Amino acid sequence: MYQRILVANRGEIALRIIRACRELGIETVAIFSEADRGAQYLELADEAFCVGPPKPVDSYLRIANVISAAEVGNVQAIHPGYGFLAENAHFNEVCRSCKIDFIGPTPEAMAKLGDKNSARELARQAKVPVVPGSAGLVTSIEEARQFAHEVDFPVLIKAVACGGGKGMRVAANDLALQSALQQARSEAEAAFGNGAVYLEKYIEQPRHVEVQVLADLHGNVVHLWERDCSVQRRHQKLIEESPSQSITPETRQLMCEAAVRMISEAEYTNAATVEFIVDRDGNFYFIEVNARIQVEHPVTEMVTGIDLIKQQILIAGGQPLPFQQEDIPQRGVAIECRINAEDPKKNFQPSPGKIERLIVPGGFGVRFDSHVHSGYFVPPYYDSMIGKLIVHGATRDEAIAIMQRALLELRVEGIKNTSALHREILSHSAFVEGRVDTTFVERTFT
Ligand code: MV4
């Protein structure tokens, strides 16, 4: 196993990885930007190197600087966390050429799934349901028209490189189709340098359900059940839970098996999330694969009892999975609320600054994954998430009650945060009854 790992990230996920390594007896090398210099969690690493100025492009995304830290720090592997370089196939390849293990999939598997059109093709090969759509890329308005008439409007134009909702356009009729096609293309070209698009039938008010998968280097692939992430706003998830209220036990089984087939077909290794949307009739469709550990992974850890970060490290180090599918439970209910330094009353405007006082909730069934503390300065340069409040209860009603109690205990003074909005969502009848889709927050709270 590895003796020393570089943690190529910051904030709560850096701390989460440092903790897992400590428990495995692996030393850690942390990196930090000038804005994160002196951060408390860095003291828990064995060594820490500055990789540049505050802006991500000058530090956490600067491949040469990250690799230099890995070389000087004398590590055998790099854990990329989520965001930053986590799904950068080029960085992954640079790691390989420097003989440093990338804790994640191979660059080839990453690139194959990063292209949404080739991922969709893989799904079809693996007999995983995909949204009725164009066979491949759409290059002309005539092709687009022909397809739209086959599946009927509304249709969705998606960029192969789409992300964060960018490069997607809905068209309700022939007239709208032409401009939607052009807009999706130019937006994707500007944002990702790739204007290629395909078409799908537009699923209205879908729910978002994703399946966690682990695959080792010996051909073993298992799922760790699903997470429902329908409570989101503008493609930013707010609350995630497991099990999902949106699917029947039969659908759960089919969806989890489909996710395993998808990952096996792609010859993918390490941790992956297979994302699906679920329509109003309960049909599920593959949308994409996330080739990284995700923010909401603790929800899965609480219901399965499996430490996903440790498993990622052990898999990359060549260990076979220590459990089989039948050994993985989905026990009780876990819910996660993302605590962001944002003002929900001012259109979720970021609220960086000094945390004058922090009181962290605790007690039975409560977990708070965070790197912040009283006196911590939330820098303005990065994602506004300051922590994740995760609860585990025997039933969903109990989990909601624990979360409500924990949110009341949480106090973050000095900056605005999203905890009061979470309390409102958790007491809303639609949420309590498990009747929320991806449009719920925007329809109800903005
Ligand atoms: C869709 C869809 C409806 N129909 N595809 C949004 C992000 C991108 N990765 C896929 N997304 C969607 N694809 C079809 N054919 C609706 C969405 C969507 C969505 C999906 C998951 C979670 C939140 C969402 C919010 C808006 C739209």
Side-chain angles (χ1 to χ4, degrees):
M1 196 25 65
Y2 305 121
Q3 274 124 42
R4 215 166 150 84
I5 286 176
L6 181 98
V7 182
N9 215 299
R10 64 175 300 281
E12 74 86 19
I13 193 63
L15 175 54
R16 171 75 186 84
I17 299 163
I18 292 167
R19 284 172 168 160
C21 288
R22 175 76 57 185
E23 292 171 20
L24 288 171
I26 298 170
E27 294 176 352
T28 50
V29 176
I31 59 171
F32 60 92
S33 72
E34 282 164 22
D36 287 328
R37 186 186 297 282
Q40 218 171 64
Y41 70 88
L42 294 171
E43 293 172 26
L44 296 174
D46 293 280
E47 204 173 359
F49 293 106
C50 184
V51 287
K55 287 198 191 120
V57 287
D58 300 322
S59 50
Y60 297 108
L61 290 171
R62 233 333 113 111
I63 293 176
N65 298 10
V66 175
I67 294 289
S68 297
E71 298 282 11
V72 176
N74 198 26
V75 303
Q76 293 121 12
I78 296 182
H79 196 306
Y82 52 69
F84 297 124
L85 297 168
E87 289 180 278
N88 186 317
H90 170 65
F91 173 67
N92 192 336
E93 233 165 65
V94 173
C95 290
R96 181 160 64 189
S97 65
C98 295
K99 302 206 167 16
I100 299 167
D101 283 0
F102 178 88
I103 300 174
T106 62
E108 291 75 21
M110 184 177 269
K112 200 156 49 174
L113 294 171
D115 178 313
K116 306 274 152 48
N117 188 49
S118 85
R120 200 166 59 122
E121 196 44 53
L122 264 169
R124 286 190 177 125
Q125 281 169 28
K127 305 234 183 307
V128 171
V130 296
V131 190
S134 53
L137 301 179
V138 167
T139 49
S140 70
I141 181 67
E142 290 75 27
E143 262 181 284
R145 284 225 175 87
Q146 191 190 337
F147 165 76
H149 285 275
E150 275 165 32
V151 298
D152 217 355
F153 286 106
V155 295
L156 185 64
I157 299 151
K158 279 188 184 176
V160 300
C162 81
K166 274 220 177 84
M168 288 202 324
R169 281 288 183 288
V170 184
N173 54 51
D174 264 329
L175 187 65
L177 189 61
Q178 180 138 26
S179 58
L181 186 64
Q182 277 158 1
Q183 282 172 356
R185 270 216 191 108
S186 53
E187 190 173 279
E189 182 63 51
F192 316 107
N194 181 354
V197 298
Y198 58 95
L199 253 77
E200 283 181 355
K201 171 85 181 159
Y202 179 58
I203 308 294
E204 285 170 274
Q205 303 195 350
R207 297 165 188 243
H208 176 166
V209 184
E210 57 186 32
V211 177
Q212 178 69 56
V213 178
L214 285 175
D216 67 18
L217 307 182
H218 309 280
N220 304 303
V221 185
V222 296
H223 69 77
L224 291 89
W225 309 104
E226 83 285 5
R227 299 182 286 259
D228 193 308
C229 310
S230 299
V231 180
Q232 58 93 44
R233 176 188 171 271
R234 299 195 182 171
H235 304 285
Q236 295 295 318
K237 294 167 188 166
L238 295 171
I239 300 178
E240 305 95 352
E241 63 179 293
S242 184
S244 169
Q245 297 292 297
S246 313
I247 54 174
T248 62
E250 294 72 38
T251 302
R252 168 172 302 113
Q253 205 56 44
L254 292 172
M255 187 186 276
C256 289
E257 285 166 8
V260 167
R261 284 200 304 281
M262 177 79 192
I263 292 308
S264 304
E265 182 77 27
E267 297 182 61
Y268 182 104
T269 52
N270 217 281
T273 299
V274 185
E275 285 190 17
F276 298 94
I277 49 176
V278 178
D279 71 15
R280 291 193 200 115
D281 301 323
N283 302 306
F284 68 91
Y285 309 96
F286 167 80
I287 45 174
E288 59 191 72
V289 175
N290 296 313
R292 60 168 189 279
I293 194 73
Q294 288 192 276
V295 173
E296 59 272 26
H297 76 274
V299 161
T300 297
E301 296 182 325
M302 301 317 283
V303 293
T304 61
I306 293 168
D307 183 323
L308 285 166
I309 305 292
K310 282 185 188 166
Q311 287 309 321
Q312 284 195 286
I313 296 166
L314 295 171
I315 287 171
Q319 303 274 325
L321 289 173
F323 38 69
Q324 294 183 329
Q325 189 64 66
E326 310 79 78
D327 307 327
I328 304 172
Q330 189 178 35
R331 199 180 61 85
V333 173
I335 305 177
E336 171 178 281
C337 287
R338 296 189 187 193
I339 310 300
N340 290 351
E342 291 171 358
D343 188 352
K345 292 209 182 74
K346 289 192 177 146
N347 199 31
F348 294 81
Q349 173 184 299
S351 179
K354 189 179 173 193
I355 298 177
E356 297 293 346
R357 196 158 88 113
L358 178 76
I359 300 176
V360 172
F364 194 90
V366 176
R367 166 175 173 184
F368 189 58
D369 274 21
S370 172
H371 63 296
V372 310
H373 50 84
S374 294
Y376 178 81
F377 186 89
V378 179
Y381 306 100
Y382 314 109
D383 188 277
S384 62
M385 195 177 76
I386 54 171
K388 307 184 297 204
L389 183 53
I390 307 114
V391 302
H392 186 229
T395 64
R396 188 161 185 271
D397 285 347
E398 187 184 41
I400 292 173
I402 298 172
M403 183 63 90
Q404 288 281 21
R405 183 274 289 173
L407 284 165
L408 279 172
E409 282 183 20
L410 173 67
R411 291 187 59 175
V412 187
E413 292 175 11
I415 58 168
K416 301 282 189 229
N417 76 87
T418 49
S419 69
L421 173 69
H422 285 306
R423 299 213 321 266
E424 280 191 61
I425 296 172
L426 290 166
S427 40
H428 195 285
S429 57
F431 182 83
V432 172
E433 290 159 24
R435 293 186 287 103
V436 298
D437 61 62
T438 51
T439 66
F440 164 72
V441 175
E442 278 144 299
R443 278 187 289 112
T444 316
F445 296 95
T446 48

